[in-house]
Amino acid sequence: MMWLFVLICLVVLLAVGLNLFQKLYPPFGGKPSPADLKRYRQSPNYKGTKFEYPLETKMFKPSPGSMITALREYVQRRPQLKPDRPLPQVKLDRKTFEELQGDTVVWFGHSALFLQFGGVRFLLDPMLGASTSPMGGGKRFNRELPFGSLDELPPIDAVILSHDHYDHLDYGTIRQLKDRVGRFIGPLGIRCHLERWGVAPAQIEEYDWWEELELQGVRLACTPARHFSGRRLFKQGGGGLWCSWVIATPKKRVYFSGDSGYGPHFKEIGGKYGPFDLTLMECGQYDDRWWDIHMRPEQTARAHLDVRGNVLLPIHWGAFSLAMHSWYDPVRQLSMEAKQRGIPLTTPKLGEPVRIWVSEEYPTEAWWKTLESARKVGGFRGARPSSTMK
């Protein structure tokens, strides 16, 4: 029986050690204060002990069976998870940023964007780190960003955040930005992480779904998304709220989806705030096993039409491999879908400035085709969609 006692002690020590490690290691983020929790409980989106989307939303739960299925799919489909060489980039420096004219967006890969809009400069979900996890994780396709360092960025008025996942809220990036940015704006639950990382409390603003603010003449609205949150290693959910954003001036409107599965919220947003001149819409890191929380390309197109978008710029691809599809599959499939539905699609290279509402200047080059693998990729063999998505 002694060996059993020793084993139990080791398991307990390991669990305690991991818990302490997550509490003491800053990249895991902070813990909501009693005042934060009181604010959360006042939200109509907070049910019991966590935030919830109005419809049932299933998340992927790792198990021996699901791991075996994923391995089988990988062998059968042989997806090209990463490009064989660096993706093409447009190099940027401080002078380039400061000379940008009018309303312009620059995509850095995944969901990280620079947006100059209505004379205000924003960074959207600026995950500029090399990895999507504080312990290993997927590595960025390109070792270098389109700009050499954050010193090349112009003064930033506000960072806009959609949720607290590592591939959207990065400890190292925030630490470098905290003294270069006027305001940090995000959904409920972002404050505890930012404060732990040294952002001054007066710089942080949190919002619930459908709440609005104005920044130097630009109106922002925190709008719904179908996702989840949390930064714990072995526990899904339980973090703050997640959201999308409407960014508008009297003349133009942009929609930033953040992370979201398909749902009726897109039509609600389109009805209240649309039409949009440009949508920055999630397209990538999808799988049948987490159908409710990330969109397939055909759903991205559908969501774009629901919000009454004009030009669509796909994001959430082109930097990291977080799902079992080829790295170029999102934009390849979306290109076909957009053509069938008559959706204007813009596909800039990393770092390539895109003027908003200047139709003849929207980049449309299919640059990824020069890097595609010739291997054929089969269909998905994951779990079937939940009843809420049929």
Side-chain angles (χ1 to χ4, degrees), residues 111-132:
S111 298
L113 303 119
F114 169 85
L115 176 65
Q116 181 172 283
F117 197 64
V120 182
R121 289 169 173 157
F122 300 97
L123 286 177
L124 310 182
D125 280 1
M127 195 295 185
L128 305 175
S131 173
T132 57

Side-chain angles (χ1 to χ4, degrees), residues 114-284:
F114 169 85
L115 176 65
Q116 181 172 283
F117 197 64
V120 182
R121 289 169 173 157
F122 300 97
L123 286 177
L124 310 182
D125 280 1
M127 195 295 185
L128 305 175
S131 173
T132 57
S133 170
M135 298 177 64
K139 300 295 183 182
R140 187 178 291 274
F141 296 161
N142 288 14
R143 291 186 179 182
E144 296 182 356
L145 293 164
F147 49 91
S149 72
L150 292 181
D151 291 332
E152 304 296 340
L153 291 176
I156 301 298
D157 296 294
V159 165
I160 305 297
L161 299 164
S162 66
H163 64 301
D164 66 8
H165 282 161
Y166 297 112
D167 58 322
H168 295 258
L169 180 65
D170 177 60
Y171 167 72
T173 303
I174 298 299
R175 288 287 296 174
Q176 293 182 69
L177 285 173
K178 67 184 182 68
D179 298 321
R180 306 165 183 257
V181 172
R183 299 159 74 172
F184 289 81
I185 301 170
L188 297 174
I190 288 292
R191 176 179 298 278
C192 61
H193 305 308
L194 298 179
E195 286 189 356
R196 185 179 184 188
W197 299 340
V199 179
Q203 290 180 270
I204 306 168
E205 300 175 30
E206 291 184 324
Y207 293 90
D208 203 347
W209 291 348
W210 306 117
E211 290 183 340
E212 300 181 4
L213 69 146
E214 186 170 309
L215 178 62
Q216 301 175 34
V218 177
R219 183 174 61 151
L220 292 95
C222 179
T223 45
R226 188 178 192 178
H227 201 56
F228 70 109
S229 63
R231 296 176 69 90
R232 301 298 294 271
L233 277 178
F234 303 110
K235 181 182 178 182
Q236 290 182 324
L241 188 61
W242 50 94
C243 71
S244 57
W245 285 96
V246 170
I247 307 170
T249 66
K251 293 183 177 180
K252 301 177 190 176
R253 299 175 189 177
V254 170
Y255 176 69
F256 173 56
S257 73
D259 276 5
S260 181
Y262 184 78
H265 61 278
F266 289 116
K267 281 193 176 179
E268 292 181 64
I269 293 166
K272 186 169 184 178
Y273 293 108
F276 293 95
D277 300 282
L278 178 70
T279 67
L280 309 168
M281 195 71 74
E282 179 211 282
C283 182

